[in-house]
Each structure stands twice: as structure tokens, then as C-alpha cells.
Amino acid sequence: MLFSNVVGQQPAKDGLLTMWRNNVLPHALLINGHEGTGGLPMALALAQFIFCENKTENDSCGQCAGCSKVTRLEHADLHFSFPTIVPKPGTKAMSRHYIGEFKEFVKQSPYGTTYDWLQHIEAENKQGNLTAEECREIIDTLNLKSYEGGKKILIMWRPEYLGKEGNILLKLIEEPPADTLLIFVAENSEDILQTIRSRTQEVKLAPISPAEIALALTTRSLADPKRAAQAAHMALGSYTEALRLIRESENDLYPEASRLLKAILGNNKGTELAKFAEDWSKNGREQQKNLLNYIIQLIEQSIRYRFTQNDAIALPDEEIKFVKYFASLPIPVNGLSELVTTISNTIYYIERNAHSRTQLHALGIRMQYLIKNKPLDPAFK
Ligand SMILES: [Zn+2]
């Protein structure tokens, strides 16, 4: 993983590179950022940079033997520790039982979530764990000499899964063997043992901006600019979420959002609305939720636009037109926020398997009342 392939996060990259250049990289780093912000890719980029034999000032070369070993996750001095389950009764949950699966998972989806990982090893409802045995094995491994004569690096993904057994690692963290770097990758540093957290130096990852997410999606040819912008706005700073949205919403959502609005505003005695609900009830629940979340994003942009009249909205043209039109409708601001609440409630019910045609139809009627600024019959709330 090159630093340039980590989506966004320029301040964190600069911070790490500056520490490296000044020779003050701590021996225990904690990379901390919400799911989807790229903690594991960042750790891999740092490891590759360190092992690269031909690095530039800001990135690895991507070509040398060191780079290629890290890319294949086969560098002998790069170790991994991650939550696992007990593979069979009578054994202990340890990373080495799952290292093959883990490498395959990370190569396929470096932005994958812990939930995805545990599904990948068919943990089902079992909790992932980082056990005392795992901690002891880490100590043994890192006490061995480096294979290639350079640094040894351990990436521990999700130290939140360490119970109090994690205290076994304290001495290692305080006085690691020579040339050893420990990189902890967390999503919520509050949930890490305080004893461990206080012995590491934290590098924070921020939510990724919609513009950076959209750029990553288009340059990797994962989506056309329009769908990339839609997904980026809905992903709330998570590249993983954007990827999921792209995977699950095969089509451009805008025509359907605009169809719903026309059905609501049009003078067709509700037949278009009923037809909309009927058609959409045939799509999967995830698709329905994606569309509704997308409409919420458009309404929120409209609220923002009404206050700022700011033209610099990072959306495709026809969506900007929609946002401006919506902002110009004579709906009071509390009506707009009530619209958002109404749609969120529908998402809530759809998630809980409510009958989706009824839900979507009722939502259309509620929206009609709110948009046309009529008082809503309490029976409909
Ligand atoms: Zn290299």
C-alpha cells in the first residue's frame, strides 16, 4: 500500500512522514479513526514505507523487493495480530490460525470492517477476541531476530478486543526489543485498555471529505462522477460505506428521488405516489434505505443552501438544481427538519421489516402534507 493509495488523510500522512524524517517515530503508535477512515491501509503504507529500499521523500517506490513483499503481505518481518475466534473446541483463539484468511481478506478489502472480517471467518455470532496466548506469542515473535536484518513491525488491528490480558504486553510496549515498531490500529481509542493507550502515541484519522471519497472512487474507476458524488455525500466520511453504497445501488438514485418529488407535488390524485410505492416495494430493503438516505442528504443540502446561498455545492448539476428548487419551496425550516425526521422514521421501520409498500406510500403522503405546508393530521404522524 502506497501512501498515495490511502484515501485522503493528508495531515496524518504528513505527521507520520515528519516523525520519520526527524527520526522521532515512537516505537508504539496508535492510529485511531472511525470505521472506514483507513486505519489499516495507513498502517500498511507506513510499514511499506519503512521496508521500501528506494523510497522518495513522501512515499514508497512500489517496485522494490521490500515493497512487493509488503504488498503481498509476505514480508517476514511484518507481523499481524487481529481479533479471531476459537477454530475448534479445545484450541485457543490466535491470529496464526487465521493468518492465511486474514491476508486474503486484507488484500481483497483493505478498508473492510471488523464485522466483515468476522463474517469472512464465519464467526457468525461469536465475539472476536485477542487472547492472553496471542499476547504471549507476540512477545516471543518480536523477541526473535529480524529475518531481513532491518526493522520488525507488528500491526495489531483493533486493540479494543484485548481484555485485561492485554496488560501482558505492557513491558513489550515500554521496552520493545531493538528495531521494533508496534502499530495499533483502533476505531475507538476510548475502548482500549488505559494502560496500553497511555503508552502509545496517537495519530488521529479524520472523517474523509466527500470530495476525497468521490475522487478515489472515480480514479479507481469504481463509479462514474455522478454516482461517486452521490455515494461520497451519503458515506459520512467513511470510504468503506461509500464502497458499500456503490456496490448496492446499481443505479443513479437521482431520477428516482426526483420521481418521488414529482409524484408528491404533482396533481395526479395520488396515483403516481401509489405507483412509486408499488414499484419500490419490489426492490430490496437495502436499496430502499439507500434511496431514502439519499433523499435526506438532498434535503439537508437544501437547508444548508437556504441559509448560505452558497453555490459551491459538490454535487452534479441536476442535483444542484434540485437542491436549489427544494430550498426555494415555501416550507418553513421546522417543516424541512420534520421531513428529515419522517424519512428517518421510515428507514427505521423498513429496517425492522415493516411492510415496505405501506411504509413508502404513507411516507409519500406525509411528505406531501409537509411540503405543501398543510398541518398534518395527527393520525399520520
Ligand atoms: Zn520500494
Side-chain angles (χ1 to χ4, degrees):
M1 177 75 68
L2 298 173
F3 276 120
S4 60
N5 285 334
V6 177
V7 182
Q9 307 301 359
Q10 199 55 47
K13 290 176 194 173
D14 291 342
L16 290 169
L17 288 165
T18 307
M19 285 193 271
W20 169 264
R21 264 179 237 127
N22 297 336
N23 213 10
V24 291
L25 198 64
H27 51 249
L29 261 180
L30 169 62
I31 298 179
N32 182 39
H34 289 156
E35 183 178 288
T37 54
L40 192 53
M42 188 67 90
L44 289 168
L46 178 61
Q48 180 164 334
F49 184 76
I50 291 171
F51 287 129
C52 177
E53 296 147 24
N54 199 14
K55 48 183 147 286
T56 63
E57 204 171 320
N58 297 315
D59 216 334
S60 330
C61 75
Q63 311 282 332
C64 69
C67 278
S68 131
K69 284 176 201 162
V70 176
T71 305
R72 286 181 279 123
L73 304 181
E74 282 169 11
H75 198 291
D77 291 316
L78 178 57
H79 307 280
F80 295 97
S81 178
F82 41 84
T84 56
I85 51 168
V86 171
K88 54 179 184 247
T91 56
K92 301 285 181 189
M94 287 172 87
S95 298
R96 75 173 139 88
H97 297 309
Y98 290 99
I99 188 68
E101 286 93 337
F102 184 75
K103 289 177 176 178
E104 180 196 344
F105 174 80
V106 174
K107 276 189 254 180
Q108 264 172 26
S109 45
Y111 279 83
T113 65
T114 317
Y115 176 82
D116 294 340
W117 159 242
L118 291 170
Q119 293 306 302
H120 184 77
I121 55 171
E122 293 167 4
E124 289 164 10
N125 296 328
K126 285 182 218 123
Q127 284 279 338
N129 207 351
L130 283 161
T131 58
E133 292 74 19
E134 172 81 6
C135 294
R136 290 196 194 96
E137 184 146 295
I138 288 172
I139 295 171
D140 290 346
T141 306
L142 294 178
N143 273 312
L144 295 174
K145 268 172 75 184
S146 111
Y147 285 91
E148 306 221 351
K151 267 199 186 304
K152 290 169 280 183
I153 300 179
L154 169 83
I155 297 178
M156 178 181 277
W157 187 45
R158 304 305 310 280
E160 295 96 324
Y161 284 77
L162 281 171
K164 59 181 185 325
E165 300 79 19
N167 286 322
I168 298 173
L169 293 174
L170 292 187
K171 189 164 172 294
L172 176 82
I173 299 174
E174 270 177 357
E175 294 168 43
D179 279 329
T180 302
L181 171 62
L182 305 168
I183 310 177
F184 296 93
V185 178
E187 289 176 3
N188 187 1
S189 59
E190 302 279 311
D191 292 341
I192 302 173
L193 281 177
Q194 185 51 34
T195 43
I196 292 200
R197 192 179 162 196
S198 64
R199 286 166 173 81
T200 59
Q201 188 168 330
E202 188 168 335
V203 173
K204 282 201 174 75
L205 301 185
I208 312 171
S209 74
E212 286 166 329
I213 292 180
L215 181 68
L217 292 172
T218 48
T219 50
R220 293 163 199 207
S221 304
L222 295 169
D224 59 49
K226 205 190 223 175
R227 284 180 61 217
Q230 284 178 357
H233 274 275
M234 289 162 70
L236 303 175
S238 161
Y239 185 61
T240 312
E241 177 63 7
L243 291 174
R244 189 191 68 78
L245 288 162
I246 290 290
R247 245 189 347 262
E248 287 181 3
S249 62
E250 284 155 23
N251 304 309
D252 180 7
L253 293 168
Y254 175 73
E256 289 300 308
S258 133
R259 178 183 163 201
L260 175 62
L261 189 73
K262 283 180 192 146
I264 286 170
L265 293 172
N267 202 359
N268 51 57
K269 299 204 167 67
T271 50
E272 287 303 315
L273 208 49
K275 180 88 175 53
F276 177 88
E278 171 76 38
D279 291 349
W280 267 84
S281 65
K282 291 170 191 152
N283 292 330
R285 285 174 196 274
E286 285 306 313
Q287 285 275 62
Q288 295 164 5
K289 278 164 52 188
N290 285 345
L291 177 68
L292 297 180
N293 273 318
Y294 170 65
I295 294 172
I296 289 179
Q297 292 299 316
L298 290 179
I299 296 174
E300 284 179 342
Q301 293 276 0
S302 301
I303 299 176
R304 230 166 284 148
Y305 180 75
R306 198 188 265 186
F307 283 108
T308 61
Q309 299 290 311
N310 182 358
D311 269 315
I313 310 172
L315 285 175
D317 287 350
E318 51 184 3
E319 285 163 71
I320 293 180
K321 251 192 247 164
F322 181 102
V323 164
K324 289 185 177 173
Y325 171 67
F326 214 85
S328 74
L329 291 173
I331 314 171
V333 172
N334 59 358
L336 286 172
S337 40
E338 207 172 324
L339 268 174
V340 171
T341 311
T342 303
I343 303 173
S344 306
N345 288 344
T346 305
I347 295 174
Y348 177 89
Y349 292 124
I350 287 178
E351 272 172 353
R352 279 154 191 80
N353 294 326
H355 188 253
S356 59
R357 181 164 56 82
T358 317
Q359 284 299 322
L360 291 169
H361 196 191
L363 171 66
I365 294 169
R366 286 192 203 101
M367 289 177 73
Q368 205 159 32
Y369 273 92
L370 289 167
I371 289 177
K372 292 186 174 171
N373 200 13
K374 294 178 193 161
L376 189 59
D377 186 316
F380 256 120
K381 288 209 176 184

